[in-house]
C-alpha cells in the first residue's frame, strides 16, 4: 500500500448508502457462466489504477483485498468455504452481499501487487498440477453459477455506460 489512508478509504466506502462490501479490484459485469468480463474490470493497481475516485460500483470484489462489516458477514453466514482456497469465494461473497440488497464497491487506493501467480507456481514443471487446478476452478465455477443462477448475468453499469463500452469495443 502506498498511501496511509488506504484502510480508511475501504472503511469509508462502507458508509456509502447501501454499501456492503469494498475492495481494491473487481469487475462491473459477470456473465451467466459466472466469468468476469475483462473490459469491465476496475482496480487500484499501480502503475495505472482504473477506478475513479472515490469508488465505483461493481458486480463483484476480488479477494485480493476485501472489507465487510462483521454484522453483514455474520448475516450471510460467513465465507462459503466449500470453494476452497483460490476459486470462487470472492464472487460468492459479492453476490451474497447483493442478495442482501447491498452494493459492492472498488475504492481508489493505489497499491502494488507483488503476489501474482502464486496459485500457478510450478505449472510449467508439473502439468498435472495445472490440470488439477483447472478442475478445481471449473468445479467452483459450476457451484457458483448453480448457487447464484438467480443473479447471473450481473451488470452494475447503467445503460449509457454499457452502450459506450460496447461502442468502444466495436470501434477499436
Amino acid at each position: 500500500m502506498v498511501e496511509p489512508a488506504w484502510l480508511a478509504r475501504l472503511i469509508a466506502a462502507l458508509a456509502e448508502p447501501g454499501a456492503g462490501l469494498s475492495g481494491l479490484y473487481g469487475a462491473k459485469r459477470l456473465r451467466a457462466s459466472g466469468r468476469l468480463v475483462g473490459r469491465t474490470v476496475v482496480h487500484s493497481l499501480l502503475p495505472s489504477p482504473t477506478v475513479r475516485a472515490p469508488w465505483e460500483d461493481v458486480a463483484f470484489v476480488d479477494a485480493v483485498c476485501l472489507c465487510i462489516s462483521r454484522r453483514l458477514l455474520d448475516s450471510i453466514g460467513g465465507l462459503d468455504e466449500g470453494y476452497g482456497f483460490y476459486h470462487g469465494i470472492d464472487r460468492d461473497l459479492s453476490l451474497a452481499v447483493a442478495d442482501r440488497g447491498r452494493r459492492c464497491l472498488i475504492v481508489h487506493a493505489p497499491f502494488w501487487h507483488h503476489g501474482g501467480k502464486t496459485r500457478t507456481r510450478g505449472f510449467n514443471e508439473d502439468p498435472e498440477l495445472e490440470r488439477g487446478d483447472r478442475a478445481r476452478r471449473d468445479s467452483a465455477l459450476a457451484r457458483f453459477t448453480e448457487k447464484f443462477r438467480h443473479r447471473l448475468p450481473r451488470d452494475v453499469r447503467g445503460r449509457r455506460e454499457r452502450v459506450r463500452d460496447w461502442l468502444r469495443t466495436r470501434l477499436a
Side-chain angles (χ1 to χ4, degrees):
M1 303 311 295
V2 297
E3 298 177 3
W6 73 273
L7 183 55
R9 290 179 187 174
L10 283 173
I11 294 168
L14 294 181
E16 176 74 6
L21 180 63
S22 64
L24 302 177
Y25 189 101
K28 293 185 175 214
R29 181 174 168 218
L30 290 173
R31 293 183 168 102
S33 67
R35 296 184 189 280
L36 64 90
V37 177
R39 69 180 179 274
T40 70
V41 168
V42 292
H43 60 79
S44 281
L45 285 167
L46 288 168
S48 303
T50 61
V51 63
R52 291 185 307 270
W55 46 69
E56 290 187 56
D57 284 87
V58 292
F60 93 99
V61 177
D62 187 88
V64 69
C65 182
L66 302 168
C67 188
I68 187 171
S69 74
R70 168 59 72 179
R71 181 178 298 158
L72 181 55
L73 185 62
D74 287 346
S75 79
I76 290 168
L79 297 175
D80 184 341
E81 296 178 15
Y83 289 98
F85 186 69
Y86 286 117
H87 303 297
I89 202 164
D90 45 9
R91 292 175 195 183
D92 184 274
L93 180 61
S94 296
L95 270 61
V97 165
D99 273 351
R100 302 297 187 289
R102 307 293 282 280
R103 297 164 56 202
C104 296
L105 303 170
I106 297 303
V107 174
H108 186 269
F111 72 104
W112 290 103
H113 187 257
H114 299 288
K117 304 224 182 255
T118 53
R119 188 188 96 245
T120 61
R121 249 185 232 143
F123 280 8
N124 289 336
E125 296 82 30
D126 185 355
E128 189 56 40
L129 188 63
E130 182 176 6
R131 280 191 285 282
D133 182 75
R134 285 186 187 277
R136 285 187 297 279
R137 184 181 61 202
D138 292 345
S139 173
L141 195 56
R143 176 191 171 123
F144 171 75
T145 56
E146 177 64 27
K147 184 176 179 180
F148 288 102
R149 179 181 298 141
H150 66 284
R151 284 253 175 231
L152 295 170
R154 180 162 169 73
D155 193 339
V156 299
R157 299 171 301 160
R159 183 180 181 93
R160 180 175 290 166
E161 189 178 4
R162 287 193 309 268
V163 169
R164 185 191 70 222
D165 290 349
W166 183 84
L167 285 171
R168 277 187 194 155
T169 61
R170 298 300 181 251
L171 301 174

